[in-house]
Amino acid sequence: MKVGVLGLQGDVREHVRALESVGAAASVVKRLDQLSEVDALVLPGGESTTIGKLLDRYELIEPLRARVADGMPLYGTCAGAILMARDIVGDQDAPHRLGVLDVVVRRNAYGRQLDSFEADLGIDRLVGDFRAVFIRAPMIESCGDDVEVLAVVDGRPVLVRQGGLLASTFHPEMTADARVHDMFVNDIAGAA
Ligand code: GLN
């Protein structure tokens, strides 16, 4: 399975390494021709306004929406999840985004004290806790009926799935545990 990592900003190399460790052929996607070569894509975290602007400038938003509409599996982490969200609430918007996942998110929602934190998650279908790293994370405020919540922190979804779409508000590429990447590549994308 060829899995691309959007290479405009963020932990690109870490995602490539995690994807390779679970058996995917990973490559960096920055241009349209590179997008057409992959079967699935990861959107790394970073700053969603910046990544959105770059997606717009490189004219990748419509082609990405078209690939998703065509069934391409997509996994967004943190800012990547913001870019996937149908709606944003609160004072910080993310105007250039894909809007393909039926969730409503609030950017930087955990406040100053909790800018960055870690939590041991119980994730549906995974045996044993997953140490999750959150960095200026968005909060998923609500989800549509077709969205499956796979993990929560304090009652709020932090890992969700809608068909071939996966989104986490944490950064699984920052730890050595590649089980979320494995779920994306081998369960979600593998079944698409
Ligand atoms: N705070 C960033 C945003 O709102 C997301 C942070 C991240 O991706 N770690 O875009």
Side-chain angles (χ1 to χ4, degrees):
M1 160 104 34
K2 291 184 190 166
V3 184
V5 179
L6 185 73
L8 303 180
Q9 196 201 38
D11 287 345
V12 180
R13 243 171 307 162
E14 289 80 354
H15 277 292
V16 166
R17 201 177 327 121
L19 291 165
E20 285 173 343
S21 80
V22 299
S27 61
V28 177
V29 170
K30 291 186 180 176
R31 298 187 315 263
L32 193 53
D33 58 313
Q34 295 167 326
L35 177 63
S36 59
E37 284 163 19
V38 298
D39 306 310
L41 187 71
V42 171
L43 304 178
E47 219 281 325
S48 52
T49 311
T50 307
I51 302 173
K53 272 188 197 149
L54 293 171
L55 281 175
D56 184 50
R57 186 176 310 158
Y58 298 140
E59 297 183 352
L60 284 168
I61 294 187
E62 281 311 323
L64 269 169
R65 283 194 189 126
R67 282 297 306 271
V68 169
D70 207 34
M72 179 184 73
L74 182 65
Y75 173 28
T77 58
C78 204
I82 296 170
L83 293 168
M84 289 171 72
R86 170 172 58 77
D87 273 318
I88 311 281
V89 288
D91 19 285
Q92 290 175 291
D93 197 4
H96 301 294
R97 60 176 201 284
L98 306 177
V100 291
L101 180 69
D102 194 8
V103 297
V104 179
V105 305
R106 183 184 298 274
R107 293 179 60 187
N108 298 313
Y110 287 90
R112 284 197 124 192
Q113 298 298 315
L114 283 177
D115 238 14
S116 299
F117 62 98
E118 299 189 10
D120 288 316
L121 303 182
I123 297 182
D124 269 22
R125 291 192 287 263
L126 296 190
V127 177
D129 283 354
F130 186 94
R131 187 80 179 158
V133 179
F134 294 81
I135 302 167
R136 293 178 54 71
M139 192 176 273
I140 297 176
E141 301 247 336
S142 63
C143 301
D145 291 345
D146 294 339
V147 177
E148 200 184 337
V149 176
L150 302 177
V152 295
V153 168
D154 294 337
R156 298 283 191 172
V158 295
L159 178 67
V160 298
R161 174 186 182 177
Q162 181 181 0
L165 305 178
L166 184 70
S168 64
T169 59
F170 58 91
H171 286 266
E173 79 286 359
M174 294 189 77
T175 51
D177 189 342
R179 286 179 296 160
V180 177
H181 288 85
D182 185 40
M183 177 193 285
F184 176 62
V185 171
N186 296 310
D187 298 342
I188 297 176

